[in-house]
Amino acid sequence: MTILLYDLVGHDVGRPFSPHCWKIKMALAHKGLTATKVPTRFLEVPKVEGGVSKTVPVIRDGERVVADSFAIALYLDEAYPDRPTLFAGEGGKAMARFIERWSQLTIHPYIATVALADLHGMQDETNGRYFREDRERRYGKRLEEVVAGRDAGLAGFRASLQPLRSMLTYQPFIGGEAPLFADYIVFGALQWGRIASPFQLLDDGDSIVSWFERCLDLHGGIGRQVAAAA
Amino acid sequence: MTILLYDLVGHDVGRPFSPHCWKIKMALAHKGLTATKVPTRFLEVPKVEGGVSKTVPVIRDGERVVADSFAIALYLDEAYPDRPTLFAGEGGKAMARFIERWSQLTIHPYIATVALADLHGMQDETNGRYFREDRERRYGKRLEEVVAGRDAGLAGFRASLQPLRSMLTYQPFIGGEAPLFADYIVFGALQWGRIASPFQLLDDGDSIVSWFERCLDLHGGIGRQVAAAA
């Protein structure tokens, strides 16, 4: 039985953009599992699987429904122990949580700032209206005003990634010699930026760009199946 | 045969302060290994074990000499596989490197700023002269000028620890339900601050303080054997 993955999309179902859904697409590929993607727009999320979650990704694997990207990764590793591991041990599970929190608090806020208006432009009319109202309430200002801060924040954003850059002088992936779910956590964030916005987040010579390109090459290059925003 | 640990001290050998040596004291205790500590002053470091390293910790275990705290932890886990693991798998080893880089780049610079003059005051005359000259050359200013920036940096420092704080809403240790070397990495940094300076790094109600207290309780409370600076 194939796994169903509810995957966030805008008006173009060929450009799924959610960082958290990308984590799971990479995780499924890592484990050699195929999934049927169910294109899901923002306003459809509350109806997914009877309203199991306020966010996607959600997967259905037979009778089992799992929401939340980290929980899904843990589930996949437990349900398919004979396939390549996403965590490589209990220590990897625990520390991937730290990396998730770091990524969420260090990378996500800036990419949201960069891409907010672009993300709005990717939605159809109804979902775009929802997205604008929801995000403008959260930020307390217009989307265009949020995005106006992106140039001023760029140097600080790049500096904040120094722990990742420094780690890459020791090993090619966060997971060590080969990628693990922790890589997909950070990859998902940068892939969100790549697909949503042409804004250049990183210097061309940055070692993080090299690592991100290595991630785009993984699993038959599934990350490259969606072109970068132009 | 007992392990030798070269442990950085100032004029009071009862107040070893090095964050990296504390990582290894915790790691040795975690593995139930006893070590003879060799009190080592800054100017003695280049002579340790024939000049094997510019820094301590260095350990000698029989014929084997290992320098660098992360390398020592890896060595201990490989040499004593039947004792409690410090990494809990290959994923834990790889991701502990990320956490080490994060700690080194996020926590260490600020604690150095806070404690630089206090650390100078902990040295004997000869080592104090070396410490002042070396650090003033590195910073390009007097120790007292470096320390003068600590109040202005405090809010930013506390905010920069948000990934750790957020992770602690999921699990009690970086290692998950129980501590691993990754905990000792961050513990070592805060223990360095605790022993060197009375400056209050964190709010009393901070969940990181609770985690740090849990670490001080570990392994018979070895972290508490040195009183906080007053």
Side-chain angles (χ1 to χ4, degrees), chain A residues 87-92 94-99 101-102 105 162-164 166-167 170-171 174-176 180 182, chain B residues 87-92 94-99 101-102 105 162-164 166-167 170-171 174-176 180 182:
Chain A
F87 295 101
E90 291 302 313
M95 290 177 230
R97 180 62 82 180
F98 180 89
I99 289 160
R101 296 290 87 206
W102 177 81
L105 291 161
Q162 195 55 29
L164 178 58
S166 178
M167 185 222 71
Y170 290 87
Q171 57 201 32
I174 304 173
L180 291 174
Chain B
F87 295 101
E90 292 301 314
M95 290 177 230
R97 181 62 83 180
F98 180 90
I99 288 159
R101 297 290 85 205
W102 178 80
L105 291 161
Q162 195 57 29
L164 178 59
S166 178
M167 184 221 72
Y170 290 86
Q171 55 200 34
I174 304 173
L180 291 174

Side-chain angles (χ1 to χ4, degrees), chain B:
Chain B
M1 179 134 48
T2 184
I3 296 170
L4 290 188
L5 167 64
Y6 294 88
D7 191 14
L8 197 64
V9 296
H11 66 74
D12 181 350
V13 298
R15 298 187 63 73
F17 55 85
S18 157
H20 309 291
C21 292
W22 272 106
K23 295 176 193 175
I24 295 309
K25 282 179 274 195
M26 296 295 276
L28 287 161
H30 181 103
K31 294 200 77 81
L33 295 164
T34 52
T36 299
K37 282 160 214 125
V38 185
T40 307
R41 287 142 204 96
F42 276 113
L43 290 167
E44 294 161 350
V45 172
K47 293 172 260 174
V48 162
E49 291 289 351
V52 72
S53 173
K54 287 180 184 167
T55 57
V56 285
V58 168
I59 65 161
R60 169 177 283 282
D61 185 15
E63 293 302 300
R64 186 74 184 271
V65 175
V66 188
D68 178 80
S69 61
F70 204 96
I72 293 169
L74 290 172
Y75 164 77
L76 293 174
D77 241 29
E78 282 158 25
Y80 300 95
D82 297 338
R83 289 161 180 267
T85 178
L86 288 163
F87 295 101
E90 292 301 314
K93 279 184 196 170
M95 290 177 230
R97 181 62 83 180
F98 180 90
I99 288 159
E100 189 215 39
R101 297 290 85 205
W102 178 80
S103 179
Q104 195 65 33
L105 291 161
T106 307
I107 307 183
H108 280 243
Y110 183 69
I111 295 186
T113 297
V114 163
L116 215 50
D118 296 308
L119 285 163
H120 176 257
M122 292 175 80
Q123 312 310 313
D124 63 22
E125 196 180 322
T126 316
N127 283 280
R129 200 176 308 121
Y130 153 78
F131 184 84
R132 179 178 285 280
E133 283 174 13
D134 179 77
R135 297 306 195 267
E136 293 190 346
R137 192 169 48 242
R138 284 199 217 174
Y139 282 94
K141 53 178 114 170
R142 286 185 51 80
L143 299 185
E144 291 72 14
E145 292 175 89
V146 176
V147 174
R150 67 188 186 182
D151 288 330
L154 182 61
F157 170 71
R158 290 179 178 178
S160 74
L161 303 184
Q162 195 57 29
L164 178 59
R165 212 171 271 124
S166 178
M167 184 221 72
L168 289 168
T169 66
Y170 290 86
Q171 55 200 34
F173 291 102
I174 304 173
E177 290 304 311
L180 291 174
F181 188 62
D183 289 274
Y184 307 145
I185 289 170
V186 180
F187 170 81
L190 295 179
Q191 173 78 329
W192 175 42
R194 173 182 171 272
I195 291 171
S197 175
F199 186 83
Q200 188 172 353
L201 289 166
L202 298 168
D203 260 336
D204 289 334
D206 194 327
S207 60
I208 296 174
V209 171
S210 306
W211 162 83
F212 184 62
E213 294 289 326
R214 286 196 291 280
C215 290
L216 285 169
D217 288 337
L218 292 169
H219 314 310
I222 59 163
R224 293 193 199 279
Q225 286 170 10
V226 181

Side-chain angles (χ1 to χ4, degrees), chain A residues 6 45-60 65-68:
Chain A
Y6 295 87
V45 172
K47 292 171 263 174
V48 163
E49 291 290 350
V52 70
S53 173
K54 289 180 183 167
T55 58
V56 285
V58 169
I59 67 162
R60 169 177 285 281
V65 174
V66 188
D68 177 80

Side-chain angles (χ1 to χ4, degrees), chain A residues 136-162:
Chain A
E136 292 189 347
R137 190 168 51 240
R138 283 199 218 173
Y139 283 93
K141 52 177 117 172
R142 286 185 51 81
L143 299 186
E144 292 71 15
E145 291 175 271
V146 176
V147 175
R150 67 187 186 181
D151 288 330
L154 182 60
F157 169 71
R158 290 179 177 178
S160 74
L161 303 183
Q162 195 55 29

